[in-house]
């Protein structure tokens, strides 16, 4: 908390506030008022975030923004009740004198703050848990973060702990809720190293995800207000090379190709959300590219993490006659050629990307987006059993629904067979293969048996990518997912799938 700064601490306060705004740890600036040139590797956390924590009401939001930051009257009313219970418990737990201080120092939990001290009573702990969990549920996974909500609630409660005016207390509760909502709709631009794309020309933009060169993005920053805060220099790893005087910009080195991801949500969730959006975008691009370079990730290849450098296999393996260790190979990458650039620029590519990243609730596009994310997780996993589970999760995202009358395995087997062939004999063979693979999945999930061979994992990847190869080319992704499942169910009676796109 930086409301009260000792004399001469103005520069320190400004530096700490600025460091927080771009995601740096304040401990690197605290304790010194002049900054000598130093180099830091940011704890292998390959991220740089430009954050605007002002309310976003009435402002344009990035493509992945949803209505999660909004609450209806009933939800807000419930949070106000829970916040009132919490503030009351907080006021009861406030330390009043020396005797209380001596007692709480021997108790299991307490908090010291510039505005006082609080004992962690059972009532206080439960009230805070109830408030943070319910607020996170209402805000959703992207915009709700329990840790951030708890910090906001605690700060507001400290400010109200000695207040006796009921009107001021009520206003303070409203302010607590408003602060939570504002935090949940923070506009964030995440910049991450891109080790997955080789750019031969222009940028690649897919929904809220953009791949660009660090040099190009730095030139853009110089023309924006954020350019006064950050300078980007191409380099091998994410470092910041200089602590400037307050008011000057930080200089960062970052991989020559970078991701720029637009997010609306809690800053504490930004890295996770950016990674998911990149995964969806990469899977979408992978299934639509008209040509594949020599390093294009093949079936069974372990795709590198999009933020971090590729690491070779490590370890020494001994047998009675030999010793071996690791291997050296070029990591798989996606080369963005001029032909791929032209494909990305087509109206159909953009329209379906929009239907996925700005999906209507319960639409086919929403489920495809979820499946694309799990496909990427499967490609990135080095463990066969993990890959197997991720690929099945992707398939289930698009081919199942809340139908209790039919077993999941039968639905998946029939719907996948209908999509991939019109030949009834071929459908029966494919459905039988999927049922066999699903039995391996059940043994893994319910029995903990990790005995998945590479042939099974690779076969499932091929089936999953074949399904999504058709889906990302399907028109009208905004229609209900339920109607898509009905369409597949009708075709299981020996009819052709009427929705098959023209390839």
């Amino acid at each position: 908390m930086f409301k009260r700064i000792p004399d001469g601490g103005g520069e320190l306060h400004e530096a700490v506030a600025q460091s927080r705004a771009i995601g740096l740890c304040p401990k690197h600036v605290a304790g010194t008022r002049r900054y000598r040139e130093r180099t830091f590797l940011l704890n292998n956390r390959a991220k740089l975030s430009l954050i605007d924590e002002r309310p976003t009401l009435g402002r344009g939001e990035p493509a992945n923004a949803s209505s999660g930051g909004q609450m209806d009257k009933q939800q807000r009313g419930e949070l106000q009740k829970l916040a009132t219970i919490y503030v009351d418990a907080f006021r009861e737990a406030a330390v009043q004198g020396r005797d209380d201080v001596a007692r709480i120092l021997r108790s299991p939990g307490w908090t010291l703050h510039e505005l006082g001290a609080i004992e962690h009573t059972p009532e206080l702990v439960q009230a805070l848990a109830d408030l943070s969990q319910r607020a996170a549920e209402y805000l959703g996974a992207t915009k709700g973060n329990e840790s951030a909500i708890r910090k906001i609630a605690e700060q507001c409660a400290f400010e109200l702990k000695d207040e006796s005016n009921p009107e001021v207390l009520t206003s303070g509760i409203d302010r607590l809720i408003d602060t939570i909502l504002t935090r949940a709709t923070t506009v964030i631009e995440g910049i991450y190293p891109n080790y997955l794309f080789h750019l031969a020309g222009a940028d690649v933009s897919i929904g809220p995800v953009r791949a660009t060169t660090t040099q190009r993005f730095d030139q853009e920053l110089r023309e924006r207000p954020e350019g006064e805060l950050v300078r980007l220099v191409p380099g091998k790893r994410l470092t910041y090379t200089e602590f400037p005087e307050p008011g000057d910009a930080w200089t960062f080195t970052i991989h020559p190709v970078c991701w720029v991801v637009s997010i609306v949500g809690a800053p504490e969730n930004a890295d996770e959300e950016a990674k998911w959006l990149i995964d969806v975008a990469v899977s979408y691009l992978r299934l639509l590219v008209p040509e594949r370079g020599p390093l294009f990730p093949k079936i069974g290849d372990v795709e590198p993490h999009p933020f971090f450098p590729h690491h070779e296999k490590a370890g020494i393996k001994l047998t009675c006659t030999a010793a071996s260790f690791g291997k050296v190979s070029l990591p798989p990458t996606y080369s963005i050629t001029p032909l791929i650039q032209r494909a990305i620029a087509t109206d159909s590519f953009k329209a379906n990307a929009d239907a996925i990243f700005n999906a209507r609730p319960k639409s086919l596009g929403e489920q495809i987006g979820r499946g694309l994310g799990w496909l990427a997780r499967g490609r990135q996993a080095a463990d066969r059993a993990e890959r197997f589970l991720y690929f099945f999760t992707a398939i289930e995202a698009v081919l199942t629904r809340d139908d209790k009358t039919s077993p999941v395995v039968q639905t998946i087997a029939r719907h996948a067979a209908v999509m991939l062939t019109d030949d009834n004999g071929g459908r029966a063979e494919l459905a039988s293969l999927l049922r066999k693979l699903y039995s391996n999945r059940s043994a893994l999930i319910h029995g903990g048996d990790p005995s998945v061979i590479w042939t099974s994992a690779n076969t499932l990847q091929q089936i999953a990518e074949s399904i999504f190869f058709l889906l990302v080319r399907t028109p009208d992704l905004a229609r209900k997912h339920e109607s898509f499942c009905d369409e597949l169910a009708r075709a299981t009676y020996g009819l052709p799938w009427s929705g098959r796109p023209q390839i």
Side-chain angles (χ1 to χ4, degrees):
M1 305 300 172
F2 300 97
K3 286 193 171 182
R4 299 176 184 172
I5 303 297
D7 291 341
E11 292 183 48
L12 174 60
H13 179 210
E14 182 177 348
V16 171
Q18 191 176 14
S19 72
R20 286 189 182 281
I22 61 170
L24 295 180
C25 180
K27 69 181 180 183
H28 294 309
V29 295
T32 178
R33 292 173 57 189
R34 293 195 60 82
Y35 312 110
R36 292 170 296 183
E37 184 170 334
R38 300 173 65 184
T39 300
F40 297 88
L41 179 63
L42 301 182
N43 300 321
N44 284 329
R45 298 299 296 166
K47 70 169 184 176
L48 172 63
S49 298
L50 305 179
I51 299 178
D52 180 355
E53 295 192 9
R54 293 172 293 175
T56 60
L57 187 63
R59 296 178 53 182
E61 294 186 345
N64 63 306
S66 69
S67 60
Q70 306 297 324
M71 287 188 185
D72 61 34
K73 187 176 181 180
Q74 181 178 352
Q75 290 173 336
R76 186 180 178 98
E78 182 174 359
L79 288 188
Q80 286 172 325
K81 290 179 182 178
L82 292 173
T84 300
I85 293 171
Y86 168 68
V87 170
D88 288 344
F90 193 95
R91 287 155 60 85
E92 289 291 328
V95 174
Q96 302 297 333
R98 289 174 177 262
D99 292 342
D100 279 350
V101 171
R103 177 177 54 79
I104 70 164
L105 290 177
R106 296 189 295 271
S107 69
W110 43 272
T111 296
L112 290 178
H113 188 278
E114 63 178 3
L115 298 177
I118 295 295
E119 181 182 2
H120 294 177
T121 64
E123 295 79 10
L124 179 64
V125 171
Q126 186 61 53
L128 183 56
D130 292 343
L131 173 62
S132 60
Q133 180 177 341
R134 187 54 55 90
E137 289 172 351
Y138 285 156
L139 291 168
T142 300
K143 299 184 177 182
N145 181 278
E146 291 91 327
S147 177
I149 293 167
R150 286 193 291 267
K151 290 177 182 178
I152 291 168
E154 184 178 86
Q155 175 62 26
C156 290
F158 264 115
E159 294 171 358
L160 295 172
K161 74 180 181 66
D162 298 321
E163 185 56 59
S164 58
N165 187 326
E167 292 184 359
V168 175
L169 283 171
T170 301
S171 175
I173 297 295
D174 286 335
R175 186 172 68 253
L176 189 161
I177 304 302
D178 289 339
T179 305
I180 290 173
L181 292 176
T182 298
R183 183 74 175 178
T185 51
T186 303
V187 177
I188 304 165
E189 191 171 42
I191 302 108
Y192 303 86
N194 183 342
Y195 291 94
L196 201 52
F197 281 14
H198 174 71
L199 295 180
D203 294 353
V204 172
S205 293
I206 306 172
V209 176
R210 176 185 171 197
T212 185
T213 65
T214 297
Q215 185 176 21
R216 194 177 297 149
F217 189 64
D218 178 67
Q219 291 298 320
E220 292 180 20
L221 280 178
R222 291 171 185 266
E223 299 174 3
R224 292 163 44 182
E226 295 92 329
E228 299 178 3
L229 185 66
V230 172
R231 289 286 185 272
L232 301 180
V233 177
K236 290 186 177 180
R237 61 180 184 175
L238 183 63
T239 60
Y240 52 103
T241 54
E242 181 181 358
F243 273 126
E245 295 292 337
D248 291 343
W250 265 282
T251 299
F252 288 81
T253 60
I254 192 170
H255 191 67
V257 180
C258 65
W259 301 104
V260 181
V261 188
S262 299
I263 307 159
V264 174
E268 295 77 8
N269 297 338
D271 289 352
E272 214 177 327
E273 296 304 320
K275 168 64 164 53
W276 178 260
L277 292 170
I278 290 170
D279 284 348
V280 174
V282 171
S283 289
Y284 182 70
L285 178 69
R286 171 185 174 86
L287 295 166
L288 286 161
V289 291
E291 64 178 354
R292 301 184 173 192
L295 296 178
F296 187 92
K298 301 182 295 296
I299 296 292
D301 282 353
V302 178
E303 188 171 290
H305 189 290
F307 296 172
F308 301 116
H310 173 70
H311 295 289
E312 299 294 345
K313 291 183 178 180
I316 302 169
K317 294 169 278 290
L318 300 177
T319 68
C320 60
T321 59
S324 63
F325 60 95
K327 68 174 185 177
V328 177
S329 62
L330 291 174
T333 56
Y334 294 92
S335 296
I336 309 302
T337 64
L339 182 60
I340 292 175
Q341 288 282 2
R342 290 194 292 273
I344 292 170
T346 61
D347 291 339
S348 59
F349 185 97
K350 293 178 180 179
N352 275 4
D354 182 68
I356 290 169
F357 285 101
N358 290 309
R360 296 177 182 176
K362 299 184 179 180
S363 68
L364 177 58
E366 181 180 58
Q367 295 306 118
I368 290 174
R370 292 171 177 171
L372 291 173
W374 292 116
L375 281 180
R377 300 295 166 95
R379 296 193 306 274
Q380 293 160 10
D383 184 272
R384 291 162 290 174
E386 285 184 42
R387 294 173 72 91
F388 196 73
L389 288 180
Y390 285 138
F391 293 139
F392 254 125
T393 302
I395 293 172
E396 289 189 44
V398 291
L399 297 188
T400 62
R401 54 179 169 178
D402 295 329
D403 182 2
K404 309 301 183 184
T405 63
S406 179
V408 171
V409 60
Q410 295 295 342
T411 301
I412 289 175
R414 290 182 178 186
H415 286 184
V418 160
M419 288 187 67
L420 298 179
T421 179
D422 285 338
D423 177 70
N424 287 330
R427 287 180 177 181
E429 185 177 344
L430 181 56
S432 176
L433 173 60
L434 274 166
R435 284 193 292 269
K436 179 180 178 181
L437 292 172
Y438 198 87
S439 69
N440 294 339
R441 179 258 187 204
S442 297
L444 175 58
I445 288 291
H446 303 297
D449 182 1
S451 303
V452 176
I453 64 174
W454 273 109
T455 300
S456 296
N458 292 346
T459 298
L460 188 61
Q461 180 181 358
Q462 194 152 13
I463 292 172
E465 292 198 346
S466 296
I467 290 169
F468 281 87
F469 178 88
L470 296 172
L471 287 173
V472 295
R473 290 168 170 79
T474 301
D476 192 18
L477 299 188
R479 63 176 165 152
K480 292 290 186 183
H481 177 247
E482 188 77 13
S483 70
F484 166 73
C485 290
D486 288 339
E487 185 179 273
L488 294 180
R490 285 192 296 271
T492 60
Y493 294 100
L495 301 173
W497 175 36
S498 60
R500 179 174 286 109
Q502 299 297 320
I503 306 300

